[in-house]
Amino acid sequence: MIGLAGLMADQNLLGAPASESPSAPVTSLLPRPSHFPAKAKSVIWLFMEGAPSAVDMFDRKTELDKRDGDTTDIQAFFGNPGPLMKSPFSFKQYGECGQWVCDKYTHVAKHVDKMAFIKSCYSESNDHVPAIYQINSGLPRPGFPTAGAWATYGLGSENQNLPGYVVMGNTQGAKGGPHNWGAGFLPSTFQGTLFRSQGAPVLNLNRQPKITKQDQRAQLDLMAKLNDEHMRSYTRDAEFANRMQSFELAFRMQKEATEVVDLSQETKAMQSLYGIDNPASKSFGSKCLMARRLVESGVRFVQVYSDGEWDAHDDLEENHTHHCAATDAPVAGLLSDLEARGLLDSTLVIWGGEFGRMPISQNGKGRDHNPKGFLQWMAGAGIKGGVSHGETDEIGYEAVENPVSVNDLHATILQLLGLDHERLTYFHNGRSYRLTDVAGEVIQQILS
């Protein structure tokens, strides 16, 4: 059995996507057929790092309003727990679905009939770094492939001149670093590429002024020849082959990547739609507009990190007011733009953080971390708009109705991409791994 496993691994027969063929090796970003017809061709994940509070954004709790100031036995993770605290924001109902939205997210509120609200999410860790690892990779520790890596491993990408998986990070640096968009034990071809929203999209991408395109092409050709001779002696050095492909991709990116991030090609009206003309929302708006340009160019998976952190330990009202101002118009603009271009039918948009926040106060006016109950929403390809799934308890502390794990979220994302989360596997370290590990159920109730 050990010998058979080795032979199968040599031929990419073990752990490769079901649709793999010799013309599209497992390290390639060439497009591959899905397991079944897909609703979504691409994903834009709007990641609200630091954890927004559901009861202060989309999940109004009237019981929390009534019991404001009451003491409970809920304990804060980082000290200074206080009594129950109602939301400092007012709420209104929007759309035909009557979804409650706070008064700081009025642009996004206009799109609630496109969204499916998952109100009963839970995760394992109350600490940012392992929680971000889990929401990205399914496990609360580093070193495992992230959702974007799995998606591109399974499907490849539709544009060979750009990475299949692009990340626009937090301007302050995401907690946990590059592990949040890493490929883990998958070939490094599938890891996320960090783009910047201004200047050169990737550091050290452009040629040095004294080197012509012809000279660079000649260098790469010579290197490819030498590398090919090396590979004949070391045929199992997959990472060496991946590095060779990375050089070629970087060469092709020098023109197209620069054009994709050139937002000056967009009209003033389009930039205004994304809030780029407002200093408060300029940064995140630029990233959202770039995300649209990337999926329009054939990039498979784009993750957009909010700037700073929704980590409201001391003053929730101040923190969330700031982050709502930074993200409200850009998120709404993205949804409007995708819909107007016909891209929302083929693009899955996800919004949410790594966990939620407590219903009790902390340090007087803040809220502590809460992995027991938080909210995500999805919109676009294959999503049934204007619906809610699951509930936390009456004060928003713990998921009690149709709890949704991170594995369930990932299974649903892959399902919309036409991938069976149980069949998308990779053989590593003696076992077949998958994004959802040994769990995960598709949330059928939110699918159209």
Side-chain angles (χ1 to χ4, degrees):
M1 292 301 293
I2 293 172
L4 176 63
L7 289 170
M8 294 177 73
D10 284 344
Q11 300 177 55
N12 283 333
L13 295 175
L14 198 59
S19 55
E20 279 298 333
S21 69
S23 61
V26 71
T27 58
S28 169
L29 277 173
L30 290 173
R32 288 180 281 278
S34 54
H35 293 139
F36 43 80
K39 298 290 184 68
K41 290 172 56 179
S42 55
V43 174
I44 296 177
W45 191 330
L46 306 172
F47 190 73
M48 306 293 111
E49 185 179 355
S53 170
V55 298
D56 297 293
M57 298 287 295
F58 297 106
D59 196 11
R60 184 192 180 201
K61 296 291 185 181
T62 55
E63 190 64 22
L64 189 59
D65 294 341
K66 295 175 185 177
R67 294 171 58 184
D68 180 48
D70 288 357
T71 58
T72 71
D73 58 0
I74 297 173
Q75 294 297 309
F77 292 116
F78 293 103
N80 301 320
L84 293 173
M85 182 178 76
K86 68 178 182 180
S87 177
F89 306 130
S90 61
F91 282 76
K92 281 179 59 178
Q93 287 179 288
Y94 290 85
E96 293 183 10
C97 64
Q99 172 64 42
W100 291 99
V101 184
C102 80
D103 61 358
K104 302 300 179 184
Y105 240 36
T106 55
H107 290 86
V108 169
K110 298 173 184 176
H111 297 272
V112 293
D113 287 333
K114 302 182 182 78
M115 301 172 183
F117 292 87
I118 308 166
K119 298 181 176 179
S120 55
C121 300
Y122 68 92
S123 62
E124 297 177 33
S125 177
N126 57 33
D127 184 70
H128 289 293
V129 174
I132 297 175
Y133 288 156
Q134 184 171 27
I135 202 73
N136 280 316
S137 72
L139 292 165
R141 51 191 186 274
F144 292 89
T146 52
W150 279 109
T152 49
Y153 165 68
L155 297 171
S157 186
E158 296 190 345
N159 188 334
Q160 300 305 296
N161 297 327
L162 290 169
Y165 173 21
V166 172
V167 177
M168 283 171 281
N170 191 329
T171 54
Q172 297 179 2
K175 287 188 173 178
H179 286 297
N180 290 311
W181 47 88
F185 45 73
L186 293 180
S188 58
T189 305
F190 306 112
Q191 70 187 9
T193 299
L194 192 64
F195 268 38
R196 302 189 304 168
S197 58
Q198 296 180 346
V202 180
L203 292 175
N204 304 313
L205 176 66
N206 295 331
R207 288 187 299 275
Q208 295 296 317
K210 295 182 180 180
I211 300 176
T212 67
K213 182 178 181 179
Q214 291 74 20
D215 288 342
Q216 189 181 34
R217 182 67 263 172
Q219 289 175 353
L220 287 171
D221 290 342
L222 174 60
M223 196 158 51
K225 180 180 178 181
L226 296 173
N227 288 338
D228 184 60
E229 292 177 0
H230 175 82
M231 288 289 288
R232 292 176 188 176
S233 303
Y234 300 94
T235 56
R236 298 193 59 157
D237 192 349
E239 281 308 303
F240 187 79
N242 293 335
R243 287 196 296 273
M244 291 164 58
Q245 291 187 33
S246 295
F247 287 132
E248 291 293 337
L249 175 59
F251 179 75
R252 298 192 301 271
M253 281 174 60
Q254 287 176 340
K255 179 176 186 294
E256 189 153 352
T258 303
E259 291 178 352
V260 166
V261 302
D262 183 8
L263 302 186
S264 66
Q265 298 179 30
E266 300 287 345
T267 66
K268 294 294 184 183
M270 184 60 66
Q271 294 184 41
S272 179
L273 177 67
Y274 280 83
I276 296 173
D277 56 353
N278 182 346
S281 52
K282 179 179 180 179
S283 176
F284 192 72
S286 298
K287 291 191 283 189
C288 285
L289 179 51
M290 195 186 306
R292 186 268 286 167
R293 292 173 64 88
L294 285 165
V295 298
E296 196 173 33
S297 299
V299 173
R300 182 74 65 190
F301 203 103
V302 182
Q303 193 171 33
V304 184
Y305 279 72
S306 59
D307 296 318
E309 292 185 282
W310 298 69
D311 199 18
H313 289 283
D314 296 315
D315 191 332
L316 182 131
E317 182 175 9
E318 179 184 25
N319 176 281
H320 277 35
T321 296
H322 168 77
H323 288 293
C324 285
T327 61
D328 184 26
V331 173
L334 174 65
L335 293 172
S336 295
D337 191 17
L338 289 173
E339 184 176 40
R341 293 170 183 271
L343 289 171
L344 194 58
D345 292 337
S346 60
T347 304
L348 174 64
V349 180
I350 309 165
W351 182 100
E354 64 269 33
F355 43 54
R357 309 207 78 82
M358 292 283 195
I360 60 173
S361 64
Q362 183 186 30
N363 300 320
K365 297 189 294 181
R367 295 195 195 277
D368 203 354
H369 304 170
N370 182 13
K372 294 187 176 184
F374 63 100
L375 179 147
Q376 306 265 317
W377 59 252
M378 297 183 184
I383 292 296
K384 186 185 300 181
V387 301
S388 293
H389 177 74
E391 288 287 350
T392 51
D393 57 36
E394 59 188 6
I395 58 173
Y397 174 54
E398 187 171 9
V400 294
E401 180 184 317
N402 296 321
V404 171
S405 70
V406 174
N407 297 135
D408 298 336
L409 290 173
H410 289 159
T412 305
I413 294 168
L414 293 180
Q415 175 82 9
L416 290 166
L417 287 167
L419 295 170
D420 183 337
H421 72 103
E422 294 184 347
R423 291 169 59 193
L424 184 66
T425 63
Y426 189 86
F427 193 77
H428 169 71
N429 228 13
R431 61 165 282 200
S432 291
Y433 282 83
R434 65 189 209 219
L435 173 60
T436 53
D437 196 32
V438 294
E441 294 185 7
V442 176
I443 313 169
Q444 297 288 352
Q445 295 86 341
I446 69 170
L447 304 185
S448 60

